[in-house]
Structures are given as C-alpha cells and as structure tokens.
C-alpha cells in the first residue's frame, strides 16, 4: 500500500512545541513522520505545500531541506489526491478551511498537529473517522477526531 503524503509547510508550521524536552518546529514533526513513512516504504509521492498554487512534489532526499513558508491551502492537496485515486495522508496544523465545492476524498486522512479542533469545513472527514490529532503535550498525544458542536475536535 503506497500513500501520497502531503506536508504542510505554511508559516504557522514554524511554530515551536515541546517534544522530549526540546523545542521543535511543527514542520519538523511533520517531516519526521514523512521520513518514517518513506523509510517504511509506505509512500508513493511526497508533496510539500503552502498557499494556493504552492504544491510541489519533492524527492525523498528533500524531506528535511525543502522549504516554502507562507499561507495555507489544504484544498489543493485534496484535489491532487482525488486525481491519483491513491490513499493519502495530509499532515498539517489545520489552520485553514476547505473550499465549499470540494469533493470529499474517502481515501484521504488528516493528521492535525498541535491542534485541538478543525473548522466545520472538515466535518465530513470527522464524521468518517478520517482525522487524527497529535499533540505531544497531552497525556495521550494521539486522539481520534470526533464531531462536536459543528467542529471536529480531539
């Protein structure tokens, strides 16, 4: 099984959090997950993205070196994943909303790093169990997303 992997490299992914006693940027956490998946031979294509029009396929050797910075557009990743038809993993801090006309992708899963909720535009993903929250500061760092008050929450 090969996933397409979408790594958020927007400006907010430069925020730092504590991980094992060290201050680490969210983008570094996302890239560590990406590298581990690549090393496990689970990845077909790796994409780095930020604002609209900034979605670039990168070779595995650039997972830790490529950098975009800027705004966030998650919708372009979902459109790209719908084109390939392969399972996909989108790693993001979730500081965005999905465009209203965007078709749901049942093969796409979202890992929201260091967040405790996603906007109501993610409801379909939350209802179908396609959201996982990761926050290393919580007692249980991984939490499956659930729908509550029109938001996807951990």
């Amino acid at each position: 099984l090969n996933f397409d992997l979408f790594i958020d490299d927007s400006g907010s992914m430069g925020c730092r959090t504590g991980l094992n006693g060290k201050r680490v940027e969210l983008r570094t956490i996302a890239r560590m997950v990406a590298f581990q998946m690549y090393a496990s031979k689970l990845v077909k294509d790796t994409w780095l993205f930020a604002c609209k029009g900034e979605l670039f396929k990168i070779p595995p050797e650039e997972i830790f070196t490529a950098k975009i910075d800027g705004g966030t557009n998650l919708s372009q990743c979902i459109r790209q994943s719908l084109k390939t038809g392969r399972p996909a993993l989108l790693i993001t801090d979730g500081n965005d909303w999905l465009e209203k006309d965007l078709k749901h992708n049942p093969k796409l899963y979202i890992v929201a790093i260091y967040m405790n909720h996603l906007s109501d535009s993610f409801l379909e993903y939350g209802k179908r169990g396609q959201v996982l929250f990761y926050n290393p500061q919580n007692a249980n760092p991984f939490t499956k997303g659930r729908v509550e008050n029109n938001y996807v929450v951990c």
Side-chain angles (χ1 to χ4, degrees):
L1 184 64
N2 285 332
F3 285 83
D4 281 349
L5 190 56
F6 295 89
I7 305 168
D8 187 346
D9 197 49
S10 62
S12 59
M13 291 294 284
C15 293
R16 296 179 181 265
T17 186
L19 183 66
N20 294 333
K22 305 243 191 256
R23 300 285 294 160
V24 178
E25 286 186 353
L26 299 182
R27 69 172 38 99
T28 302
I29 294 170
R31 291 163 189 245
M32 290 181 337
V33 171
F35 181 77
Q36 190 61 43
M37 287 184 68
Y38 172 76
S40 300
K41 301 190 184 317
L42 295 172
V43 178
K44 171 74 173 157
D45 290 326
T46 303
W47 299 82
L48 199 64
F49 73 94
C51 64
K52 191 170 188 171
E54 292 185 336
L55 174 64
F56 306 101
K57 189 182 334 184
I58 60 169
E61 58 270 13
E62 291 183 17
I63 287 175
F64 286 102
T65 58
K67 186 171 181 181
I68 302 172
D69 229 352
T72 309
N73 184 284
L74 302 176
S75 297
Q76 65 187 342
C77 301
I78 295 173
R79 280 193 188 88
Q80 179 62 39
S81 69
L82 285 165
K83 285 181 192 175
T84 67
R86 289 189 291 265
L89 185 66
L90 194 160
I91 305 172
T92 180
D93 61 3
N95 280 328
D96 194 20
W97 64 91
L98 302 179
E99 295 165 8
K100 291 189 186 297
D101 66 339
L102 189 64
K103 183 180 174 193
H104 174 260
N105 183 350
K107 294 182 179 180
L108 178 113
Y109 295 85
I110 300 167
V111 176
I113 299 175
Y114 201 60
M115 292 293 282
N116 58 12
H117 73 281
L118 296 174
S119 77
D120 60 352
S121 66
F122 293 89
L123 284 177
E124 194 63 36
Y125 290 90
K127 288 175 184 174
R128 295 180 186 221
Q130 293 173 259
V131 177
L132 180 69
F133 289 93
Y134 173 72
N135 188 335
Q137 295 180 338
N138 292 343
N140 180 7
F142 292 100
T143 308
K144 187 175 179 181
R146 68 185 194 293
V147 175
E148 184 176 294
N149 297 326
N150 251 8
Y151 289 94
V152 181
V153 299
C154 61

